[in-house]
Amino acid sequence: MTTTTRLVVLGAPDPEMKTIERLVLAHGWFVSDAMCRGNRVTSKTAYEADMPVCMGEQVWVECRPRTGFTKGVIYVDHHKKGDPGFGLPPEKYWEASSVGQICKMLNHPSSVRLRMVAAADHCLGAAYRGECPGVHPKGLGKWRVASRAKFQGRTEEDVLRRITEAMMLIRQAPKLSMGNEIVADLRIY
């Protein structure tokens, strides 16, 4: 257990954020959902959050007030330029990810599951290509299907069916050249 008690303000709900919430609560920290105009933030409104009434030592995870960075607040994120984990390569996924940053603050060790959460959030494509040390692509795929199904209230079979349908669309779609990459053109779907 840590000796410092902080208020952790959580961004948009997703499996990573649920993992972070469980971790900080287990270490005795307090949790608040980031709000935007009276509603829990979404991925679209996470960086337009209202300042909570409670002041004191705060950690904001993948969200921030609409007024911008606030002095004295610790920001944990990796999605935008200026974030502590932004732009780090796949082999540094643990340090880059919000889960990894929180675990470092808590002095909490990594685990197979936590590494999958971190890699999936920071660099999913690279993780599936085997570029994240300690994360095995097949295990990641199974975990992602199970965690998405649970989070979305669906069956694993339904999630797998939707993945298969998406893969078929990608294979059948016309291809475009973008820079040095060939991509599926899904604009008509």
Side-chain angles (χ1 to χ4, degrees), residues 49-114:
D50 306 324
M51 275 300 289
V53 177
C54 173
M55 295 312 288
E57 204 163 344
Q58 297 179 21
V59 177
W60 285 55
V61 182
E62 297 189 6
C63 60
R64 68 184 64 105
R66 74 177 64 82
T67 54
F69 291 104
T70 303
K71 186 177 178 180
V73 172
I74 298 168
Y75 293 94
V76 170
D77 209 335
H78 57 110
H79 294 291
K80 296 175 177 267
K81 191 174 183 176
D83 290 340
F86 180 79
L88 291 179
E91 59 272 11
K92 298 241 182 215
Y93 72 94
W94 180 251
E95 296 88 348
S97 71
S98 295
V99 168
Q101 291 174 51
I102 288 289
C103 283
K104 183 178 179 183
M105 287 177 158
L106 296 169
N107 198 25
H108 188 93
S110 71
S111 66
V112 171
R113 185 180 158 285
L114 288 173

Side-chain angles (χ1 to χ4, degrees), residues 14-23 62 78-79 93-94 96-100 103 110-124 127 132 134-135 139-140 143-144 147-148:
D14 63 16
E16 180 195 27
M17 209 57 66
K18 281 307 272 182
T19 297
I20 290 170
E21 180 177 20
R22 284 191 299 270
L23 279 168
E62 297 189 6
H78 57 110
H79 294 291
Y93 72 94
W94 180 251
S97 71
S98 295
V99 168
C103 283
S110 71
S111 66
V112 171
R113 185 180 158 285
L114 288 173
R115 286 192 303 271
M116 286 192 289
V117 172
D121 188 52
H122 182 65
C123 51
L124 182 60
C132 297
V135 176
L140 174 66
W143 170 79
R144 286 267 303 163
S147 68
R148 291 290 142 183

